[in-house]
Amino acid sequence: MKRDVSAQLEVAITAPTTVEFQIAVARQPNLELTESLVFDLDGWIVNPWEITGPHGTRIHKFSVGTGTLRANYSATVLGAAPPQAPSDYDLALYLRPSRFAESDKLLGFAATEFGSGPPDAELAARVSAWVGRRIRYVAGSSDPIDGAVETLLSGAGVCRDFTHLVVALLRAVKVPARVVSVYAPGCSPMDFHAVAEAYVDGSWRALDATGLAPRSTLVRIATGRDASDVAFLDNHGGEIIVNSLRVTAFVEGYLPFDDHVTPVSLG
């Protein structure tokens, strides 16, 4: 499978700061990646240093003064990465509550709604389908600081909110779960997308409660506990303003059909 993805951002820097971008495709075995990543501040090239994180995640970090910062990324991705076996630490970490996936606040609710059966693929798919029915996709309906509990109470959100609720409910029923930021061919509205991964039946399985894109085409960017780990831009210092953001993602040929029930692993 060939996938072409890109991201262009323009950011106003109002005071010297250090920024971190997570927009590059994760490096994974058996994945052929051809890419270009350029940062410039008022036309002057800025050279980042790359920090490698878990699951192939890559952070590009640098310090800049005031001005207009532009980030231009494009990549062609060929092939599919094999599913990676989790470490014991992964299985422990992704069962714990986190900042935006407060599973400890949903233990009783999850047990009442989904029972206490074995943590298998059927249970994970049932949780994702329940969130897809219960939550309405409404752009601008949530705040960046909202977590799974706020999403459950409000009944509306965007992809990160759907994903946080899926992850929190899965952890509450003892299924290790994590958040993945992805490029998503077919997603509408097109943007950086977020999906869940659940560890069931010996493998990580992708879950997208929004149903906005076929899971087999998704391209992994960053993986973590919740949105705080996978944010496309983080700022440590002066104030910044994102003036514009454009994301594209295409797959060669026709978009495959996805029933969002059949188990799928991200490649």
Side-chain angles (χ1 to χ4, degrees):
M1 181 181 293
K2 177 184 176 184
R3 291 157 288 180
D4 293 294
V5 302
S6 71
Q8 292 85 39
L9 294 90
E10 181 180 285
V11 183
I13 310 292
T14 61
T17 190
T18 298
V19 292
E20 297 176 352
F21 285 83
Q22 290 188 107
I23 60 176
V25 172
R27 292 197 186 279
Q28 300 175 87
N30 293 0
L31 207 63
E32 185 178 333
L33 179 61
T34 304
E35 64 181 349
S36 171
L37 177 59
V38 178
F39 297 100
D40 76 81
L41 183 71
D42 293 335
W44 295 89
I45 296 298
V46 179
N47 294 312
W49 66 91
E50 182 173 297
I51 301 169
T52 302
H55 321 301
T57 299
R58 300 153 66 198
I59 299 173
H60 291 93
K61 181 176 182 177
F62 51 90
S63 297
V64 288
T66 60
T68 299
L69 176 68
R70 294 179 179 85
N72 287 280
Y73 179 74
S74 62
T76 296
V77 184
L78 291 172
Q84 299 295 299
S87 66
D88 291 338
Y89 181 78
D90 288 339
L91 296 181
L93 178 66
Y94 295 126
L95 270 177
R96 298 173 186 169
S98 60
R99 167 68 179 83
F100 295 110
E102 319 98 300
S103 52
D104 51 338
K105 296 181 179 179
L106 296 171
L107 293 173
F109 179 86
T112 300
E113 194 68 38
F114 305 108
S116 56
D120 55 17
E122 188 278 332
L123 173 61
R126 187 152 52 90
V127 170
S128 182
W130 184 92
V131 172
R133 293 191 304 270
R134 177 71 176 262
I135 307 302
R136 294 178 296 114
Y137 189 98
V138 181
S141 60
S142 60
D143 292 324
I145 61 172
D146 286 350
V149 172
E150 285 88 354
T151 299
L152 179 61
L153 293 174
S154 69
V158 294
C159 63
R160 59 165 266 162
D161 304 306
F162 280 69
T163 300
H164 283 151
L165 184 53
V166 170
V167 167
L169 290 171
L170 286 172
R171 292 175 186 170
V173 294
K174 308 308 178 188
V175 177
R178 62 194 190 187
V179 173
V180 186
S181 62
V182 296
Y183 288 103
C187 186
S188 180
M190 178 57 69
D191 203 339
F192 292 116
H193 193 41
V195 298
E197 277 187 311
Y199 189 73
V200 289
D201 299 338
S203 185
W204 288 106
R205 303 297 188 183
L207 301 165
D208 184 1
T210 70
L212 289 176
R215 292 167 295 162
S216 62
T217 68
L218 302 179
V219 179
R220 185 187 305 270
I221 302 173
T223 309
R225 297 164 300 170
D226 54 34
S228 60
D229 288 341
V230 304
F232 68 84
L233 175 59
D234 205 359
N235 175 49
H236 305 282
E239 181 181 351
I240 67 173
I241 301 170
V242 178
N243 290 334
S244 63
L245 167 64
R246 182 173 184 267
V247 176
T248 66
F250 301 99
V251 63
E252 187 175 50
Y254 295 103
L255 277 173
F257 171 75
D258 189 352
D259 61 9
H260 289 276
V261 175
T262 304
V264 170
S265 295
L266 290 185

